[in-house]
């Protein structure tokens, strides 16, 4: 008679397969949405948003204004949002939540400022005043382009990236995760591996390849020589 295999319980903190896929998907979508959104905003703000005709003494003169002329807020917030998207992976816990909130707020600010600038003709009137020399020069035949709404769409993508970072960011990896895990494992297992490290061959500081290998393992290449020196001093005493 053979004993039936007893199923092993899943580790308490091990995520299920659907949850793991959801976290990976949220990370990919956030990165794509954030990068694409910032690129759309920066592209749209450099394009023509409005055009019209200014009345001057010699007749009429066409005028145009791009997104940065009308409002510089969407472009500035796109840079802030892109920086926040990168910073999400450089911080942890509360810091990651704060940066994710900043990313979401940047996207929301872009949407609002772009929508307000879609019908703003103050920049055209200012240009017309400079051309005509009048304080309040009228502008006629004003027409608007779709570029403000392209910028608003980019803001929506940045807002989506921020919302995903707020909801799933705590499960995403960090830039320094490998070295922190190596440091934690070294702290926990110091007593069990102390003799093994002391018995292993010490890294030669004159050989750069051994130094890089030690750093890649998360070890201090100067630790072993220092320990050996102390042991030799103790044996001599």
């Amino acid at each position: 008679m053979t004993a039936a295999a007893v199923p092993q319980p899943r580790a308490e903190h091990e995520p299920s397969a659907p949850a793991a896929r959801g976290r990976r998907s949220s990370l990919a979508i956030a990165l794509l949405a954030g990068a694409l959104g910032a690129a759309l905003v920066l592209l749209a703000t450099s394009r023509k948003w409005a055009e019209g005709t200014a009345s001057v003494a010699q007749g009429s003169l066409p005028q145009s204004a791009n997104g940065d002329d009308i409002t510089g807020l969407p472009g500035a917030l796109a840079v802030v949002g892109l920086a926040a998207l990168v910073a999400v992976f450089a911080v942890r816990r509360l810091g990651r939540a704060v940066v994710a909130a900043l990313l979401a707020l940047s996207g929301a600010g872009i949407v609002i400022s772009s929508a307000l600038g879609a019908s703003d003709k103050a920049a055209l009137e200012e240009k017309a005043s400079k051309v005509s020399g009048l304080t309040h020069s009228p502008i006629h035949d004003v027409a608007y382009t779709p570029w403000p709404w392209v910028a608003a769409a980019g803001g929506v993508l940045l807002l989506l990236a921020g919302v995903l970072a707020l909801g799933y960011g705590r499960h995403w990896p960090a830039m320094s995760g490998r070295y922190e895990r190596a440091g934690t494992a070294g702290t926990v297992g110091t007593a069990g591996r102390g003799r093994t490290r002391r018995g292993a061959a010490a890294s030669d500081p004159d050989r750069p390849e051994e130094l890089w290998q030690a750093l890649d393992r998360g070890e201090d290449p100067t630790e072993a020589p220092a320990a050996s020196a102390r042991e030799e001093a103790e044996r001599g005493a």
Side-chain angles (χ1 to χ4, degrees), residues 145-158:
T145 69
W147 284 110
W149 303 110
V150 175
V156 171
L157 291 176
L158 282 169

Side-chain angles (χ1 to χ4, degrees), residues 91-137:
V91 295
R92 289 174 177 266
R93 299 182 180 88
L94 180 60
R96 177 167 291 186
V98 171
V99 173
L102 178 61
L103 176 58
L105 289 175
S106 298
I110 290 171
V111 173
I112 295 173
S113 57
S114 298
L116 293 176
S119 59
D120 190 351
K121 61 179 183 179
L124 290 175
E125 293 175 346
E126 183 179 354
K127 286 189 173 184
S129 299
K130 292 180 180 179
V131 171
S132 63
L134 302 175
T135 304
H136 299 287
S137 180

Side-chain angles (χ1 to χ4, degrees), residues 7 10 29 33-34 42 46 50 54-55 65 87 92-93 102 115 131 166 175 191-193 199 213 232:
R10 183 180 298 272
I29 294 173
L42 294 175
S46 65
S55 299
R92 289 174 177 266
R93 299 182 180 88
L102 178 61
V131 171
L166 283 171
M175 290 181 179
R193 295 199 306 269
Q213 291 173 2
E232 291 179 1

